[in-house]
Amino acid sequence: MPRKKAVQDDTARERLIQAALAVFAKDGFDAATTRAIAARAKVNLAAIPYYFGTKEHLYHEAIMALVEFIESRFRAPREAIVAMLDQADLPRERLLSTLEALAVGMVDTVTGPEIRAYAPLVMREHMMPGPAFEIFYDRLMRHQHEMLTRLVARLLCVPEDSREAMIRAQMFFGQIFGFLVGRNLLVRRMGQEDYTPDDVAEIRRMVVEALRRLFPDPGESVPLKEGDA
């Protein structure tokens, strides 16, 4: 019997976290009510103070769960890339193909159905940073950006702490996260409810193509347009 109770508790707590993510994403922290969260989770309102104490602590736990979900998608690739970057004399094509594989993984995440409901919460914390932004930054964004900046710096042959490397890394993030932020706009323009598998394949192709332009080979000559000579 105690084991069954523990399983029920874990299930109720997890339902509350998932419900909180959905309600906080839709309404924002201030407008979200514990009553709405409890109703969505199909638990008694008293379950929130029982498991989490306060609405603020529930928000913190919900953000931690979201960060862990996103982090789980990128932890292994990031660790592999960091280990690779500790090597000297990496061929440029290997660096570029690694960046492209990272881009494809990010495209799959931001266009996937799982993240769509939580996108407003993520973007709200980016635009109006609160305590949850520190969690995003410390647990996820800083590590991703540092790794990407190192990779970009190796491609550009510039110092890893250079502003150029950081800004180019941000450009990389920006072109991919545009498909998360602008998701509703794009699917409305295409006359559909969400991205299709064909859309995602095309986004992958275009992002990889854009990367080749963003990080051209320094040894390649750029053909002159008519009238440039």
Side-chain angles (χ1 to χ4, degrees):
M1 287 298 292
R3 176 61 187 157
K4 183 177 180 181
K5 173 76 161 54
V7 171
Q8 290 173 341
D9 284 353
D10 288 346
T11 301
R13 189 177 190 280
E14 180 60 26
R15 288 209 312 272
L16 277 168
I17 287 175
Q18 294 305 316
L21 279 171
V23 174
F24 286 134
K26 177 177 175 290
D27 299 334
F29 178 81
D30 290 335
T33 67
T34 53
R35 188 175 299 279
I37 294 169
R40 188 180 183 95
K42 295 182 171 58
V43 300
N44 190 285
L45 184 59
I48 292 178
Y50 176 77
Y51 289 111
F52 302 100
T54 65
K55 176 181 167 183
E56 288 78 6
H57 191 239
L58 173 57
Y59 185 66
H60 178 274
E61 290 298 306
I63 293 295
M64 290 290 287
L66 179 57
V67 167
E68 180 58 35
F69 165 74
I70 300 172
E71 171 73 354
S72 69
R73 308 289 290 267
F74 294 108
R75 187 182 298 116
R78 184 179 69 234
E79 290 174 353
I81 292 171
V82 169
M84 181 195 75
L85 290 172
D86 288 336
Q87 303 173 36
D89 303 321
L90 289 166
R92 186 179 190 282
E93 191 57 36
R94 184 179 176 191
L95 292 167
L96 194 55
S97 63
T98 299
L99 186 63
E100 291 171 354
L102 179 65
V104 168
M106 291 176 63
V107 165
D108 289 346
T109 296
V110 304
T111 58
E114 303 96 336
I115 200 67
R116 185 177 190 180
Y118 309 136
L121 190 157
V122 176
M123 299 317 302
R124 192 179 292 117
E125 287 295 334
H126 277 68
M127 297 299 295
M128 297 178 290
F133 178 81
E134 298 303 320
I135 301 173
F136 280 117
Y137 182 80
D138 291 334
R139 287 283 305 273
L140 180 65
M141 296 184 299
R142 177 171 63 86
H143 303 296
Q144 287 294 108
H145 206 281
E146 286 175 351
M147 174 271 294
L148 182 58
T149 300
R150 287 187 65 192
L151 182 53
V152 165
R154 293 289 287 272
L155 274 167
L156 298 175
C157 300
V158 299
E160 292 181 357
D161 60 352
S162 68
R163 295 175 68 84
E164 180 178 3
M166 291 182 190
I167 292 171
R168 291 257 185 171
Q170 190 66 25
M171 290 173 67
F172 171 91
F173 275 126
Q175 71 172 358
I176 294 174
F177 278 95
F179 293 102
L180 175 65
V181 179
R183 185 179 198 138
N184 292 325
L185 166 64
L186 184 54
V187 297
R188 175 73 67 86
R189 289 282 293 121
M190 295 189 295
Q192 55 201 46
E193 293 296 320
D194 204 353
Y195 295 130
T196 67
D198 286 344
D199 295 332
V200 175
E202 187 69 357
I203 292 168
R204 288 194 203 110
R205 184 190 68 78
M206 289 186 178
V207 165
V208 168
E209 185 180 274
L211 282 179
R212 291 277 172 173
R213 296 197 186 101
L214 186 59
F215 301 103
D217 189 332
E220 292 179 354
S221 59
V222 179
L224 291 174
K225 298 178 185 176
E226 185 177 350
D228 284 351

